[in-house]
Coordinates of all heavy atoms in Angstrom, one line a residue:
C1 N 122.4 134.1 -78.1 CA 122.3 135.2 -77.1 C 123.3 136.4 -77.4 O 122.8 137.5 -77.4 CB 122.6 134.7 -75.7 SG 121.4 133.4 -75.2
V2 N 124.5 136.1 -77.7 CA 125.5 137.1 -77.9 C 125.2 137.9 -79.2 O 125.2 139.1 -79.2 CB 126.9 136.5 -77.9 CG1 127.9 137.6 -78.3 CG2 127.3 135.9 -76.6
A3 N 124.9 137.1 -80.3 CA 124.6 137.8 -81.5 C 123.4 138.7 -81.4 O 123.4 139.8 -81.9 CB 124.4 136.7 -82.6
E4 N 122.3 138.2 -80.7 CA 121.1 139.0 -80.6 C 121.4 140.2 -79.7 O 120.9 141.3 -80.1 CB 120.0 138.1 -79.9 CG 118.7 138.9 -79.8 CD 117.6 138.0 -79.2 OE1 117.5 136.9 -79.7 OE2 116.9 138.5 -78.3
D5 N 122.1 140.1 -78.6 CA 122.4 141.2 -77.8 C 123.2 142.3 -78.5 O 123.0 143.5 -78.4 CB 123.1 140.8 -76.5 CG 122.1 140.2 -75.5 OD1 120.9 140.2 -75.7 OD2 122.6 139.8 -74.4
I6 N 124.2 141.8 -79.3 CA 125.0 142.8 -80.1 C 124.1 143.5 -81.1 O 124.3 144.8 -81.2 CB 126.2 142.1 -80.8 CG1 127.2 141.6 -79.7 CG2 126.8 143.0 -81.9 CD1 128.3 140.7 -80.3
R7 N 123.2 142.8 -81.8 CA 122.3 143.5 -82.7 C 121.5 144.5 -82.0 O 121.1 145.5 -82.6 CB 121.4 142.4 -83.4 CG 122.1 141.7 -84.5 CD 121.1 140.9 -85.4 NE 120.6 139.7 -84.7 CZ 121.2 138.5 -84.7 NH1 122.4 138.4 -85.3 NH2 120.7 137.5 -84.1
E8 N 121.1 144.3 -80.7 CA 120.3 145.2 -80.0 C 121.1 146.3 -79.3 O 120.6 147.1 -78.5 CB 119.5 144.4 -78.9 CG 118.4 143.5 -79.6 CD 117.7 142.7 -78.6 OE1 117.9 142.8 -77.3 OE2 116.8 141.9 -79.0
G9 N 122.4 146.3 -79.5 CA 123.3 147.3 -78.9 C 123.7 147.1 -77.5 O 124.1 148.0 -76.8
K10 N 123.5 145.9 -77.0 CA 123.9 145.5 -75.6 C 125.3 145.1 -75.5 O 125.7 143.9 -75.4 CB 123.0 144.4 -75.0 CG 121.5 144.8 -75.0 CD 120.7 143.6 -74.5 CE 119.2 144.0 -74.6 NZ 118.4 142.8 -74.2
D11 N 126.2 146.1 -75.5 CA 127.7 145.8 -75.5 C 128.2 145.2 -74.3 O 129.2 144.5 -74.3 CB 128.4 147.1 -75.8 CG 128.2 147.6 -77.2 OD1 127.9 146.8 -78.1 OD2 128.4 148.9 -77.4
E12 N 127.4 145.2 -73.2 CA 127.9 144.6 -71.9 C 128.0 143.1 -72.1 O 128.7 142.4 -71.4 CB 127.0 144.9 -70.8 CG 125.6 144.5 -70.9 CD 124.6 145.4 -71.6 OE1 125.1 146.4 -72.2 OE2 123.4 145.1 -71.6
T13 N 127.3 142.6 -73.1 CA 127.3 141.1 -73.3 C 128.7 140.7 -73.8 O 129.2 139.6 -73.5 CB 126.2 140.7 -74.4 OG1 125.0 141.1 -73.9 CG2 126.3 139.3 -74.7
I14 N 129.4 141.6 -74.5 CA 130.7 141.3 -75.0 C 131.7 141.1 -73.8 O 132.5 140.2 -73.7 CB 131.3 142.4 -75.9 CG1 130.4 142.4 -77.2 CG2 132.7 142.2 -76.2 CD1 130.7 143.5 -78.1
D15 N 131.5 142.0 -72.8 CA 132.3 141.9 -71.6 C 132.0 140.6 -70.8 O 132.9 140.0 -70.3 CB 132.1 143.1 -70.6 CG 132.5 144.5 -71.2 OD1 133.5 144.4 -72.0 OD2 131.9 145.5 -70.9
E16 N 130.8 140.3 -70.8 CA 130.4 139.0 -70.1 C 131.0 137.8 -70.9 O 131.5 136.9 -70.2 CB 128.8 138.9 -70.1 CG 128.3 137.6 -69.5 CD 126.8 137.5 -69.6 OE1 126.3 137.3 -70.8 OE2 126.1 137.6 -68.6
L17 N 131.0 137.8 -72.2 CA 131.6 136.8 -73.0 C 133.1 136.7 -72.7 O 133.7 135.6 -72.6 CB 131.3 137.0 -74.5 CG 131.9 136.0 -75.4 CD1 131.4 134.6 -75.1 CD2 131.6 136.4 -76.9
V18 N 133.8 137.8 -72.7 CA 135.2 137.9 -72.5 C 135.5 137.3 -71.1 O 136.4 136.4 -71.0 CB 135.8 139.3 -72.6 CG1 137.2 139.4 -72.1 CG2 135.7 139.8 -74.0
T19 N 134.8 137.6 -70.1 CA 134.9 137.1 -68.7 C 134.7 135.6 -68.8 O 135.5 134.8 -68.2 CB 134.0 137.7 -67.7 OG1 134.2 139.1 -67.7 CG2 134.1 137.2 -66.4
A20 N 133.7 135.1 -69.4 CA 133.5 133.7 -69.5 C 134.6 132.9 -70.2 O 135.1 131.9 -69.8 CB 132.2 133.4 -70.3
L21 N 135.1 133.5 -71.3 CA 136.3 132.9 -72.0 C 137.5 132.9 -71.1 O 138.2 131.9 -71.2 CB 136.5 133.7 -73.3 CG 135.5 133.5 -74.4 CD1 135.8 134.5 -75.5 CD2 135.5 132.1 -74.9
Q22 N 137.7 133.9 -70.4 CA 138.9 133.9 -69.5 C 138.8 132.8 -68.4 O 139.8 132.2 -68.1 CB 139.0 135.3 -68.8 CG 139.5 136.4 -69.8 CD 139.4 137.8 -69.2 OE1 138.6 138.0 -68.2 NE2 140.2 138.7 -69.7
K23 N 137.6 132.6 -67.9 CA 137.4 131.5 -66.9 C 137.6 130.1 -67.6 O 138.2 129.2 -67.0 CB 136.0 131.6 -66.3 CG 135.8 132.7 -65.4 CD 134.4 132.8 -64.9 CE 134.2 134.0 -64.0 NZ 132.8 134.1 -63.5
L24 N 137.2 130.0 -68.8 CA 137.3 128.7 -69.5 C 138.8 128.4 -69.8 O 139.2 127.2 -69.9 CB 136.5 128.7 -70.8 CG 135.0 128.5 -70.7 CD1 134.4 128.7 -72.0 CD2 134.7 127.2 -70.1
M25 N 139.6 129.4 -70.0 CA 141.0 129.3 -70.4 C 142.0 129.2 -69.2 O 143.2 129.1 -69.4 CB 141.4 130.4 -71.3 CG 140.7 130.4 -72.6 SD 141.2 131.9 -73.5 CE 140.6 131.5 -75.2
R26 N 141.5 129.1 -68.0 CA 142.4 129.0 -66.9 C 143.1 127.7 -66.9 O 142.8 126.7 -67.4 CB 141.6 129.1 -65.6 CG 141.1 130.5 -65.3 CD 140.5 130.5 -63.9 NE 139.9 131.8 -63.8 CZ 139.0 132.1 -62.9 NH1 138.6 131.2 -62.1 NH2 138.6 133.4 -62.8

């Protein structure tokens, strides 16, 4: 999903990934 969205220029997916990683690292 992330790789495909980045290829398609959907940079908001990066923000979503960062948020998910922050939740996982609590």
Side-chain angles (χ1 to χ4, degrees):
C1 301
V2 174
E4 183 174 315
D5 282 358
I6 289 171
R7 283 192 286 276
E8 293 177 3
K10 298 177 185 174
D11 292 335
E12 65 274 8
T13 300
I14 296 170
D15 295 332
E16 180 184 68
L17 177 61
V18 169
T19 300
L21 288 170
Q22 288 170 337
K23 288 178 182 177
L24 286 172
M25 294 177 166
R26 285 187 187 162

